[in-house]
Amino acid sequence: MTATIAIENVGKTINRKKIIKDLSLTINEGEVLGLLGPNGAGKTTLIRMIVGLIEINEGQISVCGHDVEKEHKDALGNIGAIVENPEMYPFFSGQKNLDYFARMHTNVSKEKIAELVDFVNLTDRINDKVKDYSLGMKQRLGIAQALMNDPKVLILDEPTNGLDPAGMQELRRHIRMLAKEKNVTVIVSSHLLSEIELMCDRIAIIKEGELIAVENVKEEAKQHYHFKVSDREKAQALLQEHFDMTSQLNEDYLVVELPSELSDVSSIVKVFVDNGIALYSVEPKKHSLEDRFMDLTTENRRI
């Protein structure tokens, strides 16, 4: 894979407080990366450094091989960005807004604008005033505006804010199309983990300025099983003895995370029954992105 963005040992200090700490991350061409973390984790600071809005104190960020600080113009020429709600002139039509923004770039033809309007599916409404657009339509218009310079990277900071379910589905579809059809690298920062799970290829989780995990979203999530048994403590000891497997006790169940070679629960059931433990129920529980996020951000875990 070709790396579009390379973040190498980056650090940022603001008002004597270390906001980003020795962070390294590579993002590939045509990849949709979800940037996650609790409030105050440093996500927006990292994005602002990538787009050259604030200085990098330590390390280096390059976009398409261009150093963001030393080759500022060349690096930023490859980036399009939308932060929350796109800023448009509400009493202009969508077409007039795009025509206006096109003047800020070189060689953006009418044909190019028409192609972008078609890509974001706004052809039927492009001559309506933006004040009459839904939030989802404004987001699509913002994507068209951000793509005018044919960027290799599109950065979306909280793009789903205020969108209804139909608008989120629409935005998700266009992000996936951008990555697949135009080979654009997309970085999405959002608190809506269910949407991140649907639209992204990988996630990077930041906590207190440190990168604590990078995971493939599309890989099958770990499978948990809830065993309701007559003696949870004895069952837990048997799992350790026979399978060298740790488990957790909650109020009603024994919670077991099964590796692939034990995906068939029958071997566990047999051990329980052979040792006089009554089994009342077995319930599979998929370990979702939200579960993984909470595990990582509420414990002091690292990659």
Side-chain angles (χ1 to χ4, degrees), residues 35-86:
L35 189 61
L36 305 178
N39 288 333
K43 304 185 301 297
T44 300
T45 299
L46 181 61
I47 287 173
R48 293 179 73 192
M49 286 193 289
I50 294 172
V51 300
L53 289 176
I54 58 175
E55 181 184 10
I56 301 166
N57 295 144
E58 302 165 17
Q60 177 184 356
I61 298 176
S62 61
V63 178
C64 299
H66 300 288
D67 187 292
V68 167
E69 293 200 310
K70 296 177 182 177
E71 303 168 278
H72 190 78
K73 186 175 180 181
D74 290 330
L76 297 194
N78 288 291
I79 297 176
I82 303 174
V83 179
E84 295 190 351
N85 301 331

Side-chain angles (χ1 to χ4, degrees), residues 52-258:
L53 289 176
I54 58 175
E55 181 184 10
I56 301 166
N57 295 144
E58 302 165 17
Q60 177 184 356
I61 298 176
S62 61
V63 178
C64 299
H66 300 288
D67 187 292
V68 167
E69 293 200 310
K70 296 177 182 177
E71 303 168 278
H72 190 78
K73 186 175 180 181
D74 290 330
L76 297 194
N78 288 291
I79 297 176
I82 303 174
V83 179
E84 295 190 351
N85 301 331
E87 292 296 326
M88 297 288 173
Y89 294 99
F91 292 97
F92 284 4
S93 68
Q95 183 67 55
K96 194 169 182 180
N97 267 281
L98 293 181
D99 291 341
Y100 175 80
F101 287 113
R103 298 190 194 106
M104 300 180 183
H105 303 286
T106 56
N107 303 319
V108 180
S109 65
K110 290 182 179 180
E111 290 76 17
K112 173 68 175 178
I113 295 173
E115 177 189 327
L116 289 170
V117 170
D118 181 63
F119 177 74
V120 298
N121 197 28
L122 276 177
T123 304
D124 293 342
R125 298 290 305 274
I126 197 61
N127 291 311
D128 293 354
K129 291 182 178 180
V130 169
K131 71 179 180 67
D132 297 322
Y133 281 11
S134 67
L135 192 50
M137 291 169 65
K138 290 176 184 176
Q139 290 285 16
R140 284 186 279 147
L141 187 66
I143 289 175
Q145 184 264 318
L147 294 174
M148 278 186 179
N149 60 330
D150 288 320
K152 297 293 184 183
V153 177
L154 179 64
I155 298 175
L156 306 173
D157 190 11
E158 297 292 348
T160 53
N161 273 2
L163 291 181
D164 60 17
M168 286 189 280
Q169 185 181 53
E170 225 171 25
L171 181 66
R172 185 198 320 143
R173 184 173 65 249
H174 281 89
I175 288 171
R176 294 304 313 172
M177 285 172 61
L178 275 174
K180 185 176 180 180
E181 296 181 12
K182 295 184 178 291
N183 223 22
V184 174
T185 299
V186 184
I187 300 175
V188 183
S189 172
S190 177
H191 287 96
L192 293 178
L193 300 185
S194 58
E195 283 300 311
I196 289 290
E197 193 164 19
L198 289 169
M199 76 172 70
C200 294
D201 301 303
R202 284 194 303 158
I203 57 166
I205 300 178
I206 299 175
K207 180 183 178 183
E208 296 176 356
E210 296 184 73
L211 184 65
I212 61 169
V214 179
E215 297 188 2
N216 291 317
V217 174
K218 302 305 178 186
E219 287 183 356
E220 187 176 352
K222 293 176 182 177
Q223 190 74 32
H224 286 67
Y225 285 84
H226 286 189
F227 288 82
K228 192 167 187 178
V229 294
S230 57
D231 189 333
R232 289 174 300 141
E233 288 80 6
K234 183 178 178 181
Q236 187 176 43
L238 286 168
L239 285 174
Q240 183 66 48
E241 177 187 345
H242 287 266
F243 305 105
D244 192 25
M245 182 188 299
T246 58
S247 55
Q248 293 180 329
L249 299 176
N250 69 15
E251 199 168 312
D252 298 304
Y253 299 95
L254 181 68
V255 181
V256 182
E257 180 184 304
L258 295 182

